[in-house]
Amino acid sequence: MTSEIILSIENLKTYFFTKKGIVRAVDNISFDIRKGEILCIVGESGSGKTVTALSILRLVESPGKIIEGKIILDEDNLLELSPHKMQDVRGNKIAMVFQDPHSALNPIFTIGDQVSEAISAHKSCNKEDASSQATQLLELVGIPLAKERYHDYPHQFSGGMKQRVVIAMALACHPRVLIADEPATALDLTVQAQILDLFLELRARFEMSIIYITHDLGVVSEIADSIVVMYAGRIMEKGGSRDVLGNPVHPYTKGLMGCLPSEKGIIIPIPGTIPGLINPPAGCIFHPRCVNALDICRMERPPMTKITDEHYVSCFLGGVNG
Amino acid sequence: MDRSYLAKRLLHALIIAWGVMTASFFLMRIGPHSPADKYLATLGAGHNVSQVTAAIESRYGVDRPLYEQYFNYINSLLHGDWGWSFSTSMPVSDLIKIHWAYSFQLIFLSSILAIILGISLGIFTAARKNTKADHIATFFSFAGISIPNFWLGMMLILIFSVKLGWFKTYYDTGLPMFSLSNLYALILPVITLATGMVAGYGRFVRSSMLENMNKDFVRTARAKGLPESVVLRKHVFRNALLPVVTIIMLDMSGIIFGGAYITEFIFGIPGLGWMSLKAVFSDDYSVVMAVTLIGAFVTLFFNLVADIAYTYLDPRIRYE
Amino acid sequence: MKLAAYYLERLKGNKTAIIGLAFIIFLVLTALIGPFFTVSPTQVNFSEKNLPPIGFSSEQSEYSAKVGGLVMTNMHGTWKHPLGTDGMGRDLLSQLISGARVSLLVGLLATGLAIVIGAIIGVSSAYFGGIADSILMRFTDIMITFPFLLLLILIVYMFGSSLALIILSIGLTGWTGTARLVRSETLSLRTRDFVIASKALGASDLRIIFYHLLPNTISSIIVLATLSIPGAILAEAALSFIGLGDPQVASWGNILNAGQNDLQAAWWIAVEPGIMLFFTVISFNFLGEGLRDAFDPKGDYN
Amino acid sequence: LERDSGNKTKDLTAGKLGGTFIEGASGADAETLNWILAADATSLGYISLAFDGLIAYDNKFNIVNRWLKNDIKTSDDGLSYTVTIRDDLEWSDGKPVTSDDFVYTMKNLMFADWMAYTYAGDWTEEVDGKSVFVEPVVENETTFTIKRKTVDPEFLYTVTDLMIYPKHIVSKYEGDVKAFTQAPELNNLSYTGNLGPYRYKEWIRNDKIVMERNPDYYLGKENGEPYFENYEVKIFGTSTARHAAMEAGDITNTGIDPEQVMKFKAIPSIKVFTVPTTGYRVLQYNMRDNGWEGLKDRKVRQAISMSISKEKIIQDILLGFGEPAFSFIPNVSPWYSEEGLSKIGVGALYDKTRAKELMKEAGYGIEKNGAIQVIDKKGDKIKLKFFTITGSKVHESMAYLIQKELGDIGIEVDIKFVPWETMLRKYYMNKVPGSDQPARNNNGPRAVSEEPWDLMYAGQSTDVLQPSGTEIFFVTDGGLNTSGYSNPEVDALFKKVHSKEALDVTARKKIYAQLSKIISEDQPLDFLAYPTANIAFKSNIRGIDPGISMNYNYQEWYFG
Amino acid sequence: MAKIIEIENLRKYYPVTRGFLSKKRGDVKAVDGVSFFIQEGETLGLAGESGCGKSTLGRTILKLEEPDSGNILWRGRDITKSRKNQLKEFRKDCQIIFQDPKSSLDPRMTVGNSIEEALIIHDIGAREERTRMVGELLLKVGLTLDYMPRYPHELSGGQQQRIGIARALAVNPGLIVADEPVSALDVSVQAQILNLLMELKTQLKLSYLFIAHNLWVIRYISDRVAIMYLGKIVELADKDELFENPLHPYTVALLSSLPGSRNRKVLRGEVPSPMNPPDGCRFHTRCEKKLDRCVSIEPEMKEVGKGHFVMCHLY
Ligand SMILES: Nc1ncnc2c1ncn2[C@@H]1O[C@H](COP(=O)(O)OP(=O)(O)OP(=O)(O)O)[C@@H](O)[C@H]1O
Ligand SMILES: Nc1ncnc2c1ncn2[C@@H]1O[C@H](COP(=O)(O)OP(=O)(O)OP(=O)(O)O)[C@@H](O)[C@H]1O
Ligand SMILES: [Mg+2]
Ligand SMILES: [Mg+2]
């Protein structure tokens, strides 16, 4: 896949300055996303996936702060835009869908109101236009009887439907990049499948780029074009879907896959737990749980090593042990 | 909100009101006091104390068996008769008719002021969370909550009336109710009553705002690209308002029978609070009962209003 | 206990709470040992009446036998009575210290009583449910609906203004908040997994109440208690202020009440106890809010 | 350039007329304007604005007739009193006030069982061991006679206090106490006609009562009185507010605390009058069985009184506004006599050493190292329980001063402040233990109060014209003899006041002098002081005659 | 092999009330006529959509909720009607572990105390002995003795879950109801816990009723699997049989919605409310193969193969 790069994140660092210390939630990560691509960010809880997504939209709240890095969209560094300009990016060029559809909608406004609000935030159009566009959007994401349900309140919708509404809001201005933060995790298996289908359909239809955040490797294998594996705020491995899943290099990626039952019905867990981010282990952040850890792993942070053009890994054993 | 729900709420309110009425009725009668007390003090030689006591107690009907008095009281209540106030020699209903306005103007002005200032303060501090302005405002809110209002009233009198002479040291009932001079006369009492309310509402609105600012839907709204002012005004404030409305409603009765009482006492405003205080001190049962009952009804009314307001403001309940 | 230490550690970060705590400790110490260092608060001395506090002066009329009538004298504060004296020449410092005792006593005992009653009613209501719950909650509703101050005034007027009765009646009328809080907490705790686990192990109701439910409401109760103490103190002061205080003790409310009539001649009598009340109340409020934050699991950040 | 005298009056009136007189009051509001039900002085005060009464007294206790046409005639045998009222008195509906109204009011209201009039006892006499009412009789339109079977020279003062209701209005409520109590025309004085200088206008409870000028006032026919357009009594919650209102000129007159007198005297727009009052302060000794036994001994009582300086009280507490008291008859009373009074508590009789000696003589002291140590009979320190009512600074100050004084002679005083009701129930009312007597203020010498007490501080007031009213405190079966004092000599002398012998004023004065002397020696209570009052007026008020009853001519006051 | 527990036609309804007079508006039929058994040493997996009644079923068979009807036979003994104090033995034999490891531990108790509580309730051992036993249990679940004085908030989710397991094991149970014990955990930790549960099962001859959302977890750990829909078990079979040859249209759809599965059959429509489930077959509103009678007649549970039960008119 060699279409143009649409959004590029470079050396992003987002820290939280808490009373207990600095939480290095996102610690120097870089990746790109191309037009029409689905990029999956995988990682365990607390690995910094959500913070990464929020950083892209500059929605990290205090005590969090983007320390350094660049987020380049259309040659603009988003981190340097004025707050006003940034507002115009949000929802318009980059939209986001959050994990929990139950809390992502304001309970006291109607569905229609909230969708049309997303439209009128960026397009100057009158109320009727906005509302008819909103109805269309609702139909698009598969809400039956969209017209009638326009005036319903969120609590009258099921979880799956709410998530569709949230997606409709995100699509309001046909953004170029859609960030979806675990959009299906809170939903039932059958509904989850519906939502995944919807995403695939949307991508096909609008040529959007989608950053899909998940910790479910099953989902990843189904939809990802490329994959970023995060662990404790850092990228362990990134690359094309086939490369990463078919030829995982980083011990962590391998470990993650081992946690799923193999054909023989065996799972091999990764020992230990994810480290605290305030005083993270020196060197490679994964070394305490790594069975192959070398001395150097305890001292130095491994650089991103290229394995193929599309496949990078941050490990001193890069490729060696593969 | 359906009718039967309303009917049930009213029934509930009635039961509570009955409970309050019964409790206060018996509370007052089991006490050692009697309306004849004040006569005892003036009895001279040759008077048969018990005879006179009996005569006076029969004059006011308090010599009957308790249950009989109780049913009589309920009976006359049901007939719209609040009884006779023997400490002021007038029907309780007239007494209330004359005096409620003094309480009302005080409470009304203070509440309006407190709601406006309190909500503004809350929004202001929430929007500027953790800034210097917020810290200062927070400190003053704490001070406002903590300052005993009777003391505040006294200090205002000391400074502005006694030392500076800007105001009278008492509330002048001679002023026409709807006049600027009356408004001027109410300044100190309103400050006394409203300070705690402003501070309390301010804190409450602030924390309610902050709580809502952390909600996912606010983040969603920001992600939509809405300007911060719209996010705050529409998504945060409207949601923060819900508990605020409830609190203000529920607070009302507390204000009326707490702060307003004391404020009336300090400034000599002859409102219901002061009335009932005097009535307590002169064992004037029917006035105390009436004020208690009115208090209960006010509380229940505001509870109901809070519920209805909530239903109106929160679609999750409206469409149940 | 380690857990306590943990919360204390969290509290330490909160400056205002620490200031509040410090003042309360100071107040407690003063109330305890102060009386050993000051003159008796009831010791009158008519030749030293209405002395202003140190650094102030005021004009006072006095009877002069020489003149055979009133003379104006300019009084200055003296170190003997650093906070001045009242109209009988009683030392205000020692009165305020005695008032601190009263206020703390009222605050702690009345709140304690209210908390105990409220906790018992709340836990029983939630745990036993059904009719017991309905009756107890209706009763609580009635108590809440009662105009609080009027009820308090009524009881104290009816049965006499002794400190014990005042404490008792504040306690007996002030438990509704606790009852509701404990009830709702218990209701939600009751369905928590650890309680179910305990049940699954065959734990008795009493064990569950005393080992799981109550200990887990303790932090809310502590916060509520801390924030209720000023309420109780103010209630006593308000009662005293309107003349229903225990005349046998020098409570701040009593001093204020007396000072009310002397605003012109001796403003400090009304000002000083008010300041004490204010600082005490704000300290408890600071501490209470601090505790609330410390106990709040969300408070890990910021 | 002669002027018509009639015109002159009118002109004068025109100049005086107008303005609102505002009296600043403190304390509780009146309870009712329905005078027969009133139990408090405030109520009677309000009523009197619309209702003059038969007579008034000037500052020297001279009688000034009001409704009376002639002075009340007492028959030579002292058994009948003839009252003749003016013939120009009218009710509001224009009906004349007649002697029938008076007789009706007495017979059908004051003496009626259904009414339970509180002061009905004042109108009874003891005949053959039974208490019967005196007998009023209509003589003609304007004259009625009250007949007695026994002589009581002081009954005259009771008669002069007489008030009335209009028979034609009140008779419809007769027998129905509830209807009477709630009758609107009785509660807002709408019947008072021309009987007083002012008429009811507005009453906001616990705030103010406003009375308006009565243009028909019977006394005003000649001079156009009263001159104020309105007369208002404004109640203040605190003395701070009251003083500040006076200072700011918001009110016309009010009482001034001693501390404030200097300040007010310095204000040019205000003048302050210092006037005597009829009250006095006492320290009661409990001679009942639940008081400390020593108090039954006169020497002990004298000793205690001797160690309390009346001068100190006056200087320290009253700031000089008062005089030492030695008698139950205030020194302003025409019956007051200094002769033979033991002036305990001042001068030579304020002597703590003497007091200790007296204690020792009574058996409550031993000699130790040349000094007398006061102890009780068991050899312990004497501890006395002192009570007074709450909420009064003067009472509190007195308590502490007395505590200090007695501390000097080695008696410990334990002070308790109790509310008035408690005082009444637990300390005043008494009954014989174990009996089923209803508690009364005096249930005989063996009766005791519910709670024990030794000393009690109280304020009392005596009718200066009729001091025998005070006998209820002193005679053995006196209705308010709560401390159990009993002296046959005193009982006999008070009886004498109410006998034929006392019809003669000089004789009566002698009896009073003797009584004062005995009581001051006996010291059943320690008379402490007669306080004087300071009353401030706006200085542009004219017509004031300062004195003990300076209100007697208030209808003639005007703004200058 | 003996059945450790057998339940017949179990029902648990929750009344839905509203308003002050608590007027009943209907029932949530959380468990509506369920029968199955679990043999010693066997794991029965239970899957189904959210709200279909899995947890309620788990709690009801442990008598943590009173069943409305039906029977619970524990090792052949009918304990449906037994009172609390008669259940001591049963309580020792049947334990539960929970989804949310954090809330399953009393935040005010140390880890040691939490585990020890089980022993105290059943009067097992003296004090020192209990401490020793707690230590052993900690080691058994893969922790060390240092954890004893710690509080739950000092532990990670996986560690907390281990404590929950240790507490359940303390009384030596035969059956453990595991209510989604791994759903709240990270994949890597999930795997640890699953392996631990497997190990314990063989080591201690435990039986599990294993409730999970995640079908791969079910497949990994279960011997037999039951699929639940709206309060009823619609299909029950051996693990491999069920996954290879699902019969009920709901099971088919459920399996096909697993990410990565080949022939996707995405279910349309929403789960009906358990308060008024559809008449006839409960699944008919979402079923692609619905027959006429599905709308009105409720299908019976049929054994269509050896140990393969299905509740559907198609078979
Ligand atoms: N407001 C905050 N204050 C302090 N630390 C925070 C805050 N928000 C997030 N963090 C920390 O940042 C780290 C990354 O969090 P993030 O929410 O990005 O994880 P995630 O990968 O999205 O996890 P999950 O899969 O659970 O959603 C975590 O360690 C978290 O504790
Ligand atoms: N205590 C209760 N009172 C009332 N209704 C209840 C109660 N517990 C559960 N329910 C209802 O019973 C139904 C089944 O709930 P249950 O918790 O058993 O579902 P579940 O299958 O475990 O769901 P999940 O997968 O979300 O845990 C749900 O509709 C739920 O709302
Ligand atoms: Mg996340
Ligand atoms: Mg569940």
Side-chain angles (χ1 to χ4, degrees), chain C residues 82-101:
Chain C
L83 294 183
T85 60
D86 70 1
M88 284 171 235
R90 289 179 293 184
D91 182 45
L92 273 170
L93 176 62
S94 54
Q95 287 198 63
L96 290 180
I97 290 173
S98 140
R101 273 184 175 202

Side-chain angles (χ1 to χ4, degrees), chain A residues 45-46 48-51 99 181-182 213:
Chain A
S45 187
K49 306 183 296 291
T50 304
V51 174
Q99 172 169 5
D181 185 2
E182 312 197 25
I213 296 173

Side-chain angles (χ1 to χ4, degrees), chain E residues 14 28 30 49-56 59 180 213 274:
Chain E
Y14 290 110
V28 170
E49 278 172 293
S50 181
C52 70
K54 306 180 296 290
S55 302
T56 308
R59 282 205 300 267
E180 312 204 28
H213 262 124

